[in-house]
Amino acid sequence: MTGLVLHNYWRSSTSYRVRIALAMKGLDYEYVPHHLRYGEHLEPAYKAVNPQGLVPALVLEDGRLLSQSLAIIEYLDETVPEPPLLPDTAIGRARVRMLAQIIACDIHPVNNLRVLTSLRTVFRAGDQDVVNWFRHWVNESFQPLETMLSSSSETGTFCHGDTPGLADICLAAQVLNNTRFGVDMSPYPVISRIHEACMALPVFQRAAPKNQIDAES
Amino acid sequence: MTGLVLHNYWRSSTSYRVRIALAMKGLDYEYVPHHLRYGEHLEPAYKAVNPQGLVPALVLEDGRLLSQSLAIIEYLDETVPEPPLLPDTAIGRARVRMLAQIIACDIHPVNNLRVLTSLRTVFRAGDQDVVNWFRHWVNESFQPLETMLSSSSETGTFCHGDTPGLADICLAAQVLNNTRFGVDMSPYPVISRIHEACMALPVFQRAAPKNQIDAES
């Protein structure tokens, strides 16, 4: 084994999170695409690598598998300290993890492709039902997230101070995902401002879905 | 302000996670119940405390709010080191966070009360539809979780070695939750064995839903 291998999919927002972290840490990796809509992640060859059959998954130099985007990012942050993706105080880390998990636990899991597909197959949801569902769960969590960000003196150019970190990674990936479902961002000026600050950075651009080898128009 | 205040609900499995961690760390706290089925968590007085209106939320001695169960537990682990809830190596921590997040990101968010309620109201899901949905998402993640646990030499009495930690906390809370929806646990002997090892510990018992002041029969 030589080097890191990232199993991922250009449009998966959790894949995007890990790509941003890898780019911020300056790490090179082999990019292995799995086309989710064609079910490539469910093939036996990939399930032998990652029993969950989900992306992203990072295979380390020694062949070990890491899955779950937040666990991968914390591992990268612990093993490649610069630039740090978490603050240097326990309470700061708690705040950033809280902001990240509002997106990673309360929004994304309910809105990811396999859940939306289940709504269609199990409950015969139509296109507009799926769009409404997606928007509903974004708004349920973006409203309090906006309140928390706008009311805290710890919010800076980014979610926590003036350097980007774990919460910004989740925020940027979610806001980009929102555009596919036409989420009205006008109630969220602070989230929007932070997203723009993220997308002004070359690492967020380089990792962006449209700039991946498997990107489709 | 004096002491910790835990806003929670006896039957919420994310509340249970935080109660286990508090018990393991030997921390006392004021228990403030919010009855989710009566919508008490959505009242303005509580939203002023936690804009998300979700439980659990921990108010610290200085009045600061922490929400998101995994963020709270990592904070407790960083500020009260004994007994540790994460391993002492980066790769060990990554494995435990990965196992925890399989439950905390891939199972619980899709199956929590507000999502199940939405299935009923938006898609007119009936009782059996809801049960099927719950079981489906548990099985989707418990199958690979069982594979990962049973195939790793790092699995011991608990998910990672012979002392309980973050992954076991999530596992125990999820397995207990499963009983309400009649999930067949026979395909999951390792998960079941770890759950039994957890429930043999007084801290897991003391934190258990049925032993809380707001528990109903």
Side-chain angles (χ1 to χ4, degrees), chain B residues 23 48 52 100 132 156:
Chain B
Q52 271 204 291
N132 291 345

PDB file of all heavy atoms in Angstrom, chain B residues 23 48 52 100 132 156:
ATOM      1  N   ALA B  23     -22.717   9.749  34.340  1.00  0.00           N
ATOM      2  CA  ALA B  23     -22.607   8.755  35.409  1.00  0.00           C
ATOM      3  C   ALA B  23     -21.208   8.149  35.443  1.00  0.00           C
ATOM      4  O   ALA B  23     -20.619   7.967  36.513  1.00  0.00           O
ATOM      5  CB  ALA B  23     -23.665   7.663  35.218  1.00  0.00           C
ATOM      6  N   ALA B  48     -35.321  29.542  24.412  1.00  0.00           N
ATOM      7  CA  ALA B  48     -34.400  30.601  24.838  1.00  0.00           C
ATOM      8  C   ALA B  48     -33.117  29.992  25.403  1.00  0.00           C
ATOM      9  O   ALA B  48     -32.043  30.587  25.346  1.00  0.00           O
ATOM     10  CB  ALA B  48     -35.063  31.497  25.874  1.00  0.00           C
ATOM     11  N   GLN B  52     -32.290  25.149  19.293  1.00  0.00           N
ATOM     12  CA  GLN B  52     -32.755  23.990  18.526  1.00  0.00           C
ATOM     13  C   GLN B  52     -34.021  23.379  19.116  1.00  0.00           C
ATOM     14  O   GLN B  52     -34.736  22.658  18.424  1.00  0.00           O
ATOM     15  CB  GLN B  52     -31.660  22.920  18.471  1.00  0.00           C
ATOM     16  CG  GLN B  52     -30.705  23.080  17.287  1.00  0.00           C
ATOM     17  CD  GLN B  52     -30.055  21.766  16.919  1.00  0.00           C
ATOM     18  OE1 GLN B  52     -29.247  21.260  17.688  1.00  0.00           O
ATOM     19  NE2 GLN B  52     -30.397  21.210  15.778  1.00  0.00           N
ATOM     20  N   ALA B 100     -19.197   4.825  16.794  1.00  0.00           N
ATOM     21  CA  ALA B 100     -20.230   5.653  17.437  1.00  0.00           C
ATOM     22  C   ALA B 100     -21.068   6.375  16.388  1.00  0.00           C
ATOM     23  O   ALA B 100     -22.301   6.449  16.487  1.00  0.00           O
ATOM     24  CB  ALA B 100     -19.586   6.654  18.389  1.00  0.00           C
ATOM     25  N   ASN B 132     -41.634  -0.610  10.358  1.00  0.00           N
ATOM     26  CA  ASN B 132     -40.803  -1.128   9.268  1.00  0.00           C
ATOM     27  C   ASN B 132     -39.658  -0.176   8.938  1.00  0.00           C
ATOM     28  O   ASN B 132     -38.535  -0.609   8.686  1.00  0.00           O
ATOM     29  CB  ASN B 132     -41.648  -1.361   8.011  1.00  0.00           C
ATOM     30  CG  ASN B 132     -42.621  -2.500   8.178  1.00  0.00           C
ATOM     31  OD1 ASN B 132     -42.503  -3.305   9.108  1.00  0.00           O
ATOM     32  ND2 ASN B 132     -43.607  -2.571   7.295  1.00  0.00           N
ATOM     33  N   GLY B 156     -13.290  -6.136  22.139  1.00  0.00           N
ATOM     34  CA  GLY B 156     -13.074  -6.961  23.325  1.00  0.00           C
ATOM     35  C   GLY B 156     -14.390  -7.220  24.016  1.00  0.00           C
ATOM     36  O   GLY B 156     -15.404  -7.482  23.360  1.00  0.00           O
TER      37      GLY B 156
END
